[in-house]
Each structure stands twice: as C-alpha cells, then as structure tokens.
Amino acid sequence: MTRTGSSRRTFLAGAAATAGAVGVSGALPSPARAEDRAAAPGARAAAPNGRRVAVLGGGVAGLTAAHELAERGFAVTVYERRALGGKARSMDVPGSARGGRRPLPAEHGFRFIPGIYHNLPDTMRRIPFPGNAHGVWDNLVAPPEMMFARAAGREDLRAPIPWPGQSTAVLTPDEIRRALTGILQSVVRLPLHETAYFVDRVLVFLTSCDERRNEVWEHTPWWDFVRAARMSTEYQRILAVGITRNIVATKAEEASTRTVGALGEAFVFNALGRGADGPPDRILNLPTNEAWIDPWEAHLRSLGVEFRIGWTVQEVQYGAGRVSGVTVLDPTGARQTVTADHYVSALPVEHARRTWSAALRAADPMLERCDRLETDWMTGIQFYLTERAPLVHGHLNCIDSPWSLTAIQQAEHWPARDFPADYGDGVAVDCLSVDISDWDKPGILYGKTAKQCTREEVAREVWAQLKASLNDTGKTLLKDGALHSWFLDPGVDGLGTPDPTNQDQLLIHPTGTFHNRPSAGTRIPNFFLSGDYVAVDIDLATMEGANASARAAVNALLDREGSAAQRCLVAPMYRAPELEPSRRHDQWRYRLGLRNVFDVG
C-alpha cells in the first residue's frame, strides 16, 4: 500500500492498486469453557446420531445452521466458495501490513447489531471468547450518540443514545405520542404540524392488526403512507428517504410500509425501554473476524463441524422425490457430487436460486416465487486516516448525500487495539467505514452514478460527499492531508464499464415482497432454506433474519426426522401487550371496511 503525503491524487491512485483482493485474518482458537457450555442450553455437542447434513454457504445463516445442528449430534459439513462470515465478515487489505503488524481491517459494510435483535445475540452468547463470561456477545459496545449530517450549511443534528427521559411505564397511545413528539422535536426539528402528523402515522401502524399490515400496508409504499409528497423537503429527506434508503436500502417510493413500519416499531419500543436485548445501537469492539467470526469457526470445529472453503455450489440435484446430491466445484475446479442425508441451502437468494434445478423447482412451486425477490447494491468503502477526525461518537447519516452515505469511525470503539501499533504501517490511526446505499444517482464530483464510476472515482466521489456533509459549516473536519488510503469491497467489479457486477447484493423490500418469501421447510423432504430472504418474523434483510431462518430450517429438519432433540428457540419481534386491545379493535374495524382509528387521512 502506498502512502501519499500531501498529494491526494497520487495517494488515491496508489491505494486503488491495492484494493483488488481479500484475505481472511487468522483463526483465533478459543476452546469452549465448561462454565460457558453449562450456561447455554444445548451448548454441549450431543452424541453423534449418524445423520449427515450438507450446509451450502458459510455466511451467518450457514454458520448458525451448522451450530444448531452440531449441538444436536448431526455430522455437518459447510461448503463456502470464498470465506466464512459472508457479508458479515471483515477482511484484510492486501499488502498493508508493515513491521509485524496485522493488515489493515476492511469489510463489506460496518456491523450494526441493534438491541431489537434476540436470536443473533443468543447465538453470540454461546460462542466462547477468552475472558468473556457471555462469549462474543460481551464484545458488543454501545456508541453514545448518532448524527444526521446535513449539507449546504444546514445544521447537523446530534442525538444521544438512548434518548434520555423517554422511557414510559405504560405504553398507551398518548404516552407513545408524547415520547415520540419530544424526541422528534428535539432531534429532527421539523415544523410542529409535520411532527404531529408523522407521530400519528406511527400510531396508525403500531395499532394496526396483522390483517391490515399484511393485506394493505404490505402493498402501500412508505412514501405514500407518510404522505411525503405533501410535506417539506426536510420531512422527505429525514423521515421518508432517510429511513428507507439508509436503513432498509430501498427507495421510499417503493418500500413496503409493512417492512419499514415493523422495523420502526421495534426501534420505537427499544427507544422506550421495551422488549430489547440491549441498547438501540451496538457494534463490535474489534474487527468482525477477530471479535466474532474466527471464534465462531473455532467453536464449530470443536463441535465437529467440517469446512470446505473454496468449494462452489453449482446445482442441487433432484431425483426420486428427494435431493439426491449437490454438484460442486472443488478448489482445483474439479466437479464433484456431494451427498448427505439432508441439505440446507444457506446461500444468498440471488446465488441460491441459480443452483435450483428445473426438477427441484417443479417439486416445490414456492421456489419459483423466489425469482420475484429483488436485490440491490449496498456496499462498503473504508478510508484510513492519519489523524482522528472530530466527527461523532457513533454512526453518522449523510442524509443529503446523493449516494445515501452512512458511516462510523471505528478505532475509538476498538479499545483492545491500539490502531497504529497493531494495524497497517503504523501511520494510519483510524478507519472511517462508509456504506454506499444508492449506486444509481449522479454524484456531485463527476455527475455519474457509482456504477458508472471507476473504483478510484468512487473513492473520490464518496470522499467529496462526506466533506460536503461534514465540512460545510465553517470547520474542516475531514482533511485531504489526513487521507492515508482507501479500500473498496472487492465483491464489486467492472465499475466504469457497461456491465458492473456485485457478488454481495442486499435483498430489498418493495411492495408485495412479503408474499414471495419462502418458508424454511420445503416440499422436498430433505431440503431446507436458510437466509435473510426466508419468511421469519423480522421482515428485513438482516443478520437477525439470517440467524432466525437458520433456526427455523433446523427445526423443520428435526420435525422431518421425528427427532426428540430440543427445538431451536426462534424469538419473535417484540409486541407490546398494552397495544393488543388496540390491534383487536382494529381487526374489527378492518373487517368492517373501516380505517384505523388514528388514520385521519
């Protein structure tokens, strides 16, 4: 990796040359302690039952399925074409290590594990980590604040996390209105009538029955639900576009209100101190592989799980009413057939559906519906800095940026590491990790979309948009001279050509998506689906959804086996019991063809 000094052009060109390949940091052995195993039900591997399971894919869904199956005595082999962890993994910047240090850490996108998650934290507690009483879950830390960074001289909006003084003993609609109005008025600072209207829309969703959510709000775009077209630009940017593009990675004009609203509901309850595993915002205190993925791999190996890294799944074969085998390419490119008693497809949907043969699809029409599921680009780039920028102690959301950027400075959240002493060449002191959520809008520097830009142009454009949001009020928070290097996810290829590609796309949620999501169990008796596209309670492409779907897949497998093994807990999203009477009342109104009682139009 080439360091620039004062020339940003030289630096960007040099850094781009190093950003084309990935590595995986070394495994961190951490044998399970007896006290950790005893604290988690089922954590000790059961006696082998002689049944073999092939797990296709080694991301969060695949590793979760392997974990649950291994604890129940199955012989599990995971087949993964690149590296364990999937989109959740961190990776090494090639050629960046000097003087015995670790390579600079990079990632597909920064990890965000909010308190609304329950299934994933349960798994994390069952992964031993040296010195931690609750496994890798103890590696979660809570940033104390977040920021909406505005451009064109608009005031940046900061908010502490959690918001002080807003928890309420009883979640009545009036108490929810009071709390949300206070938060929005303090942070977002919209006109009072717009705040009041948005809070009423939130109450409409919170008190809507499941039938109205599934049959009406699923087919209503979020933009229309919040009446964004009638409102101010600030309302549109923050409450319509900001929520959907930066969190759900879907355009507000297309995003299902059911999906956006359900996620917002969980965060509202979390902010009000209800139904959460922890604070609303949590991140890892080390690069992802060090804090989570490597210890997970080590633990799974201790349970007997085998891994085949560099093996590419090509086709799931079907015959005589069952999956008869899986065609794979081994690391040498040789074609082989993998056989097992059961098969769990844990690949992302855009890759999984390419492996489903015509015969397999014919055996379960549900698989055909997965072709209607849509994906989009949401990809990370990291900027390494030679001095700490005084931005915010948590996530920042550049809501005016054309490419819908979100970011976080990572070094301050990794207290177990001295960044310059432990990583890179000893000069970089921080990593500003940025997610690019919109790859199809023209930027401010070249007037091109991210897909039309070269890799170097993407880096320059993102840096320019960050500065437009952060350096626009008279202070130079991001300095060109502090740029050390950058790293763009190598899963993105062909940028600046007519055919750009992205190996790691994100499932998006336009209206009607919910009805095309498959169940974890299929009509094929030995074939199961796991991934964030599978229908579970959290209707969103998340690590939580991937984890919950894997648990559901294992439960379906156990049911098919007639196994007496304990079923996996699949925790649902929190529902406030105080609002159940309102939802029952709304069910009555819905069946009579009436609006929700809070829906004033």
Side-chain angles (χ1 to χ4, degrees):
M1 175 169 295
T2 303
R3 186 183 168 225
T4 57
S6 61
S7 172
R8 181 170 175 241
R9 180 179 301 275
T10 304
F11 139 65
L12 284 169
T18 71
V22 305
V24 181
S25 56
L28 176 63
S30 53
R33 297 173 300 176
E35 60 267 33
D36 291 331
R37 292 196 299 265
R44 186 186 298 277
N49 62 20
R51 306 294 281 167
R52 297 174 299 123
V53 182
V55 175
L56 313 178
V60 171
L63 294 179
T64 302
H67 195 157
E68 300 293 347
L69 288 164
E71 287 186 349
R72 289 159 177 81
F74 289 86
V76 183
T77 304
V78 176
Y79 297 87
E80 166 57 44
R81 68 189 175 95
R82 289 187 303 175
L84 298 178
K87 291 190 287 287
R89 76 192 189 281
S90 58
M91 58 193 86
D92 298 339
V93 176
S96 62
R98 299 285 188 278
R101 299 179 183 85
R102 302 165 183 255
L104 288 171
E107 56 203 352
H108 168 74
F110 53 74
R111 300 276 64 74
F112 171 49
I113 304 175
I116 67 171
Y117 291 1
H118 290 278
N119 295 288
L120 185 67
D122 172 70
T123 296
M124 298 179 80
R125 289 184 177 94
R126 291 154 47 203
I127 303 170
F129 191 91
N132 287 359
H134 304 103
V136 302
W137 183 85
D138 283 340
N139 290 336
L140 294 175
V141 294
E145 61 178 344
M146 58 86 65
M147 179 171 72
F148 292 106
R150 306 304 310 273
R154 298 183 182 92
E155 182 183 4
D156 295 334
L157 308 175
R158 291 175 179 261
I161 303 174
W163 189 256
Q166 295 300 333
S167 61
T168 177
V170 180
L171 286 177
T172 63
D174 284 343
E175 283 297 305
I176 292 172
R177 177 184 280 112
R178 177 194 63 77
L180 292 184
T181 300
I183 293 173
L184 289 176
Q185 282 296 106
S186 298
V187 178
V188 182
R189 302 172 195 171
L190 295 171
L192 184 58
H193 73 279
E194 290 191 347
T195 297
Y197 186 80
F198 182 78
V199 170
D200 276 345
R201 301 311 290 167
V202 172
L203 288 174
V204 167
F205 190 86
L206 293 181
T207 58
S208 287
C209 65
D210 289 339
E211 290 175 46
R212 194 185 298 275
R213 293 185 183 200
N214 295 342
E215 298 171 15
V216 179
W217 302 143
E218 171 61 23
H219 296 282
T220 303
W222 179 252
W223 181 270
D224 294 345
F225 179 77
V226 298
R227 308 295 194 270
R230 306 179 187 178
M231 302 299 180
S232 66
T233 300
E234 296 293 287
Y235 182 102
Q236 294 172 358
R237 293 299 304 166
I238 298 172
L239 299 179
V241 175
I243 289 175
T244 56
R245 197 67 210 180
N246 295 125
I247 298 177
V248 191
T250 304
K251 296 179 177 66
E253 297 84 353
E254 302 173 359
S256 157
T257 292
R258 181 190 184 278
T259 296
V260 178
L263 182 71
E265 177 181 40
F267 275 109
V268 165
F269 291 148
N270 195 173
L272 299 180
R274 287 296 192 90
D277 181 79
D281 189 0
R282 295 182 300 187
I283 59 177
L284 291 165
N285 63 1
L286 289 167
T288 308
N289 275 33
E290 293 183 50
W292 175 23
I293 302 300
D294 290 344
W296 202 2
E297 176 188 356
H299 182 56
L300 294 183
R301 288 186 184 277
S302 76
L303 295 178
V305 176
E306 296 183 356
F307 295 97
R308 301 287 182 268
I309 311 300
W311 294 59
T312 302
V313 177
Q314 287 203 309
E315 182 176 319
V316 180
Q317 304 166 1
Y318 178 82
R322 302 173 62 83
V323 171
S324 56
V326 177
T327 303
V328 299
L329 296 180
D330 70 16
T332 70
R335 187 184 301 271
Q336 298 194 32
T337 298
V338 169
T339 60
D341 297 299
H342 297 284
Y343 304 83
V344 177
S345 177
L347 300 169
V349 66
E350 69 273 20
H351 298 300
R353 59 193 176 198
R354 291 199 295 263
T355 71
W356 300 338
S357 64
L360 189 76
R361 288 167 173 263
D364 190 343
M366 178 182 70
L367 300 178
E368 288 288 348
R369 294 204 306 272
C370 293
D371 291 339
R372 303 174 199 165
L373 297 175
E374 300 178 34
T375 59
D376 203 350
W377 291 32
M378 186 175 185
T379 304
I381 182 171
Q382 287 77 52
F383 294 94
Y384 303 97
L385 309 177
T386 59
E387 61 182 66
R388 297 275 180 92
L391 303 181
V392 62
H393 301 294
H395 290 98
L396 65 92
N397 185 328
C398 300
I399 59 176
D400 296 318
S401 58
W403 290 2
S404 296
L405 306 180
T406 52
I408 189 167
Q409 291 172 274
Q410 295 186 313
E412 69 173 291
H413 304 292
W414 295 344
R417 291 275 179 258
D418 181 336
F419 200 97
D422 292 328
Y423 298 107
D425 58 6
V427 177
V429 302
D430 205 352
C431 172
L432 179 60
S433 187
V434 185
D435 280 354
I436 307 169
S437 297
D438 196 328
W439 287 73
D440 296 304
K441 284 186 180 178
I444 63 175
L445 198 59
Y446 299 103
K448 298 191 291 186
T449 71
K451 293 176 183 176
Q452 294 170 332
C453 291
T454 65
R455 298 179 74 85
E456 180 176 340
E457 288 172 340
V458 167
R460 290 176 178 273
E461 178 71 54
V462 171
W463 186 254
Q465 291 186 30
L466 289 171
K467 290 195 299 181
S469 293
L470 297 166
N471 291 357
D472 61 319
T473 56
K475 295 181 180 180
T476 304
L477 303 182
L478 286 183
K479 302 175 183 177
D480 288 346
L483 277 169
H484 174 277
S485 52
W486 56 267
F487 182 89
L488 176 62
D489 186 342
V492 174
D493 198 11
L495 293 178
T497 74
D499 298 302
T501 60
N502 187 340
Q503 296 186 56
D504 298 299
Q505 297 193 37
L506 185 71
L507 182 74
I508 60 174
H509 306 272
T511 56
T513 297
F514 169 73
H515 302 291
N516 294 322
R517 292 167 72 104
S519 61
T522 73
R523 294 185 183 180
I524 299 101
N526 64 338
F527 185 61
F528 309 89
L529 303 179
S530 174
D532 59 15
Y533 66 98
V534 173
V536 291
D537 202 48
I538 184 167
D539 180 26
L540 187 69
T542 57
M543 295 183 293
E544 174 77 350
N547 185 280
S549 72
R551 292 163 178 250
V554 171
N555 286 347
L557 186 155
L558 295 174
D559 290 344
R560 295 276 173 82
E561 284 254 323
S563 172
Q566 182 179 356
R567 298 309 189 255
C568 307
L569 172 65
V570 186
M573 299 280 281
Y574 177 75
R575 293 176 71 116
E578 297 97 325
L579 296 182
E580 291 304 317
S582 296
R583 287 176 171 170
R584 288 194 295 270
H585 178 69
D586 187 62
Q587 184 181 53
W588 173 78
R589 293 181 62 87
Y590 179 69
R591 291 177 178 178
L592 290 177
L594 301 174
R595 289 182 171 185
N596 179 280
V597 69
F598 292 102
D599 194 347
V600 296

